[in-house]
Amino acid sequence: MTQEATPGTMEPLIPGTRTASARRFRKSLRKDSSLYLLALPGIIILILFAYLPMSGLILVFKNYNFNDGIFGSPWAGFSNFEFFFSSMEDALRATRNTVMLNALYMLTGTFFSVAIAIILNELRSKWFIKITQSVMFFPYFISWIIIGAILFSLLDYDKGILNQLLQSLGLSQMDWYSSPWLFVVILVLANIWKSAGYGAIIYYAVLQGVDTSYYEAARIDGASRWQIITKITIPMLIPSIILMTLLGIGGMLKGDLSMIMGVTFLNPLLLPTTDIIDVYVYRTAIRSGEFGFASAITLYQSVFGFILVLVANKLAGWYDKDSKLF
């Protein structure tokens, strides 16, 4: 005999009774079983490599040593954080450099990616567009070690191509690897060369989904090409630009260690502008085996990045409710 719920009371959870949410889930599972099966590998990978490793956050509060392991090492409290913030000048410099470089990468990268996508969208030669896409996409797969070697052949003081060119013109040579602020420009240009093509492909794909009737109506009304770009093309790209920016802001405090190591070779003369948080952690913690300190800074980066995403998402919601991530 089953117990019936009276009006105004909650239905009792009797074994074998399915709640409304459970029934909806089972119905959705039957209806979209192929989609759930398609998403299953990604979900498994996400759990194995994103959520399960979070148990290692306990290392942040441990004085880690190899003999005792993660869970057997003695507790250290917040000393790993204190080690980073004890030298406030270095901590602030690393944080400032990380935010500054990532902001420059994001602004310049977005600008050039959007510009290239618009140019491709205005072209009519399909074969030229395909060749251009392949050429622009290729640098994205080149490692920073190779890019650093190319830059060194260009910027080396004695045998660099640029200094030899300056010398042939009767100008004085430049010691590029001892100019911290000049190297910020070099890093930004290198990042544009490597990643702008990849971003352009994304924005160009968005433009391919725009209804062509908008452009045809604008041409019939006598709009110029510049007016079409500013009144139709760019507004159509704004939601995608906001989305890509929000995704990028989450990593604002995470620097590209391989980029700095490959391009600057961790030159001490360039540290005033290239000593990002990841480089600072590598120099002071990884080399000496202080994994607890390295984990503490990683947690600091993640929490700070999460806060930035929340703030940026709120601002995006004020501009356009449909542009928010959540």
Side-chain angles (χ1 to χ4, degrees):
M1 179 180 297
T2 58
Q3 181 180 354
E4 295 183 359
T6 59
T9 62
M10 182 180 297
E11 181 180 356
L13 296 177
I14 304 174
T17 302
R18 296 177 298 177
T19 63
S21 59
R23 288 195 298 269
R24 285 196 299 266
F25 175 74
R26 291 173 66 88
K27 182 179 179 181
S28 174
L29 191 62
R30 288 193 300 267
K31 181 181 178 181
D32 303 320
S33 58
S34 59
L35 297 178
Y36 282 106
L37 187 63
L38 186 65
L40 186 60
I43 295 174
I44 294 175
I45 291 175
L46 183 67
I47 294 174
L48 290 179
F49 295 99
Y51 286 98
L52 289 181
M54 290 182 68
S55 61
L57 287 176
I58 193 175
L59 188 64
V60 173
F61 308 101
K62 292 274 191 170
N63 187 11
Y64 176 77
N65 63 78
F66 289 99
N67 294 328
D68 297 327
I70 296 178
F71 298 101
S73 299
W75 292 96
F78 292 94
S79 61
N80 288 319
F81 292 99
E82 294 172 0
F83 182 78
F84 177 64
F85 292 104
S86 60
S87 55
M88 185 57 67
E89 183 178 353
D90 292 337
L92 290 177
R93 184 181 74 171
T95 304
R96 180 203 66 193
N97 290 341
T98 306
V99 174
M100 176 190 69
L101 289 175
N102 281 329
L104 290 174
Y105 296 158
M106 190 179 303
L107 291 174
T108 57
T110 301
F111 175 81
F112 281 97
S113 295
V114 170
I116 294 172
I118 293 174
I119 293 173
L120 291 177
N121 191 57
E122 293 297 316
L123 297 176
R124 293 295 174 263
S125 178
K126 298 298 182 182
W127 66 269
F128 182 78
I129 292 176
K130 291 181 180 179
I131 295 175
T132 304
Q133 285 178 320
S134 301
V135 172
M136 291 188 306
F137 203 57
F138 177 72
Y140 183 77
F141 297 100
I142 300 178
S143 70
W144 282 114
I145 303 300
I146 297 176
I147 296 175
I150 295 173
L151 286 175
F152 184 77
S153 66
L154 292 173
L155 305 177
D156 182 51
Y157 184 81
D158 296 322
K159 299 180 181 180
I161 296 175
L162 289 182
N163 276 339
Q164 291 182 5
L165 179 61
L166 291 175
Q167 194 173 15
S168 65
L169 296 175
L171 302 175
S172 58
Q173 295 175 293
M174 292 191 63
D175 192 358
W176 305 90
Y177 286 94
S178 62
S179 305
W181 289 103
L182 182 60
F183 227 84
V184 172
V185 179
I186 296 173
L187 289 173
V188 170
L189 293 176
N191 182 75
I192 292 172
W193 178 78
K194 181 175 172 62
S195 62
Y198 177 81
I201 300 300
I202 297 176
Y203 293 121
Y204 178 70
V206 173
L207 291 177
Q208 295 308 294
V210 177
D211 190 350
T212 56
S213 61
Y214 293 122
Y215 295 102
E216 295 172 358
R219 294 189 185 97
I220 292 174
D221 291 339
S224 64
R225 177 166 290 188
W226 178 251
Q227 288 175 326
I228 292 175
I229 292 174
T230 55
K231 302 299 183 181
I232 299 178
T233 305
I234 294 180
M236 289 295 182
L237 284 175
I238 286 179
S240 299
I241 294 173
I242 294 175
L243 176 62
M244 297 298 292
T245 302
L246 289 175
L247 294 176
I249 286 177
M252 184 69 74
L253 234 65
K254 290 184 178 295
D256 193 339
L257 179 61
S258 60
M259 177 186 185
I260 302 299
M261 292 182 66
V263 176
T264 69
F265 310 110
L266 297 184
N267 189 335
L269 297 176
L270 301 177
L271 289 180
T273 56
T274 62
D275 189 24
I276 60 177
I277 293 177
D278 294 70
V279 173
Y280 178 75
V281 171
Y282 175 79
R283 292 190 300 106
T284 58
I286 302 300
R287 286 180 175 178
S288 59
E290 296 290 340
F291 296 104
F293 168 67
S295 300
I297 303 307
T298 302
L299 180 61
Y300 160 70
Q301 291 174 301
S302 300
V303 171
F304 197 90
F306 179 68
I307 294 173
L308 287 177
V309 170
L310 292 178
V311 174
N313 187 69
K314 189 68 175 180
L315 294 176
W318 289 343
Y319 174 79
D320 182 11
K321 292 183 179 180
D322 296 330
S323 298
K324 296 197 303 181
L325 288 175
F326 46 86

